[in-house]
């Protein structure tokens, strides 16, 4: 049997891919992060046994998957957003390989993409920002590599997408001001696409006050950059006078 790592998207039941919905419908056991997903996502399941992983450590999560596979059951391990970002995919699949359990990956809609869609902004704007940096900061989580400081990323003035960083938003804003300016647009999106979603729009000067007033502690994405203002040039790719094949 196979363990399917499935990107659950930003949490909304109708933002799963068709493949993800099919895998959920066929699964015998589904592990899901209850902290981040709308419970309606599980409506795609049929007779599956559901395991909320928010109180389980990695070894216990892996044990559930290995035990289910040993029983000949198909398993879906739901991850928030897309498995390619902050999903502990590497650690879990290494354990499954050691146990001789087959696995595969089904991509999902990234949380940052849902956030950008909700605020109606493209993260890359000609002559303003053509790169997007997806990163996080260190709080109680795993240490960041020394080569990936926020100040180094900020020096590029690319659009920044900060995950797992909402509890440090004030310190982050202060660190980014020298590169971006206090008036640089900053947007916080809480639970994009889910019931109770919340969008806070401001600048590096005031976004931390808004987050504090809203009492946000988790499940939020921070977007920073001049591209969010939507002021810029136009792409050469679509210019009328560009030579065509």
């Amino acid at each position: 049997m196979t363990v399917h790592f499935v990107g659950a998207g930003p949490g909304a039941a109708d933002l799963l891919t068709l493949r993800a919905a099919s895998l959920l419908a066929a699964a015998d056991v589904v592990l899901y992060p209850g902290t981040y997903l709308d419970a309606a996502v599980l409506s795609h399941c049929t007779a599956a046994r559901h395991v909320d992983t928010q109180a389980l450590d990695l070894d216990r999560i892996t044990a559930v998957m290995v035990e289910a596979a040993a029983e000949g059951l198909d398993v879906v391990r739901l991850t928030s957003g897309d498995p390619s970002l902050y999903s502990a995919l590497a650690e879990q699949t290494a354990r499954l390989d050691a146990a001789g359990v087959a696995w595969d990956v089904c991509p999902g809609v990234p949380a940052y993409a849902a956030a950008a869609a909700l605020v109606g902004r493209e993260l890359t704007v000609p002559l303003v920002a053509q790169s997007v940096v997806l990163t996080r900061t260190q709080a109680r989580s795993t240490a960041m590599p020394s080569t990936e400081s926020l100040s180094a990323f900020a020096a590029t003035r690319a659009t920044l997408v900060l995950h797992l960083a909402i509890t440090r938003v004030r310190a982050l804003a202060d660190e980014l001001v020298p590169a971006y300016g206090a008036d640089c647009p900053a947007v916080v999106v809480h639970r994009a696409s889910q019931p109770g979603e919340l969008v806070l729009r401001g600048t590096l000067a005031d976004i931390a006050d808004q987050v504090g007033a809203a009492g946000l502690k988790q499940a939020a994405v921070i977007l920073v950059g001049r591209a969010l203002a939507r002021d810029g040039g136009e792409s050469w790719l679509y210019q009328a006078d560009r030579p065509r094949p």
Side-chain angles (χ1 to χ4, degrees):
M1 295 290 100
T2 301
V3 173
H4 307 284
F5 289 87
V6 175
D14 61 351
L15 277 180
L16 270 71
T17 65
L18 293 174
R19 182 181 299 178
S22 177
L23 289 170
L24 282 173
D28 301 301
V29 179
V30 174
L31 297 89
Y32 68 99
T35 303
Y36 297 104
L37 297 186
D38 180 5
V41 169
L42 299 179
S43 65
H44 292 284
C45 304
T46 52
R49 175 166 65 94
H50 304 158
V51 179
D52 187 349
T53 61
Q54 63 179 310
L56 304 180
D57 62 30
L58 199 58
D59 287 335
R60 183 54 192 147
I61 291 170
T62 306
V64 172
M65 295 189 288
V66 171
E67 291 163 6
E71 296 174 23
L73 304 177
D74 272 327
V75 179
V76 164
R77 169 61 167 128
L78 283 173
T79 70
S80 58
D82 180 80
S84 66
L85 288 176
Y86 309 120
S87 67
L89 180 68
E91 297 99 311
Q92 293 173 85
T93 55
R95 286 166 166 78
L96 293 178
D97 286 342
V101 176
W103 56 271
D104 58 26
V105 180
C106 174
V109 176
Y112 78 86
L118 185 59
V119 301
R121 290 293 185 268
E122 183 182 0
L123 302 182
T124 55
V125 173
L127 305 180
V128 177
Q130 291 290 278
S131 301
V132 179
V133 176
L134 309 175
T135 189
R136 65 170 183 81
T137 63
Q138 184 178 354
R140 291 169 293 181
S141 52
T142 307
M144 291 289 289
S146 59
T147 55
E148 297 183 16
S149 69
L150 191 59
S151 59
F153 289 138
T156 68
R157 297 191 182 179
T159 303
L160 290 182
V161 177
L162 294 158
H163 295 264
L164 309 172
I166 196 62
T167 59
R168 298 193 63 240
V169 64
R170 188 173 302 280
L172 297 177
D174 290 344
E175 188 172 354
L176 294 174
V177 163
Y180 288 91
D183 63 338
C184 179
V187 177
V188 170
V189 181
H190 173 68
R191 296 195 180 277
S193 81
Q194 297 187 45
E197 67 184 8
L198 176 66
V199 178
L200 304 177
R201 303 172 189 257
T203 66
L204 288 176
D206 63 21
I207 196 66
D209 290 336
Q210 294 190 50
V211 169
L216 302 185
K217 301 293 185 183
Q218 62 180 11
V221 175
I222 305 169
L223 310 175
V224 177
R226 297 285 173 181
L228 298 172
R230 198 160 51 182
D231 297 325
E234 295 187 352
S235 172
W236 180 81
L237 181 64
Y238 298 107
Q239 294 296 317
D241 58 353
R242 184 178 75 85
R244 305 287 170 177

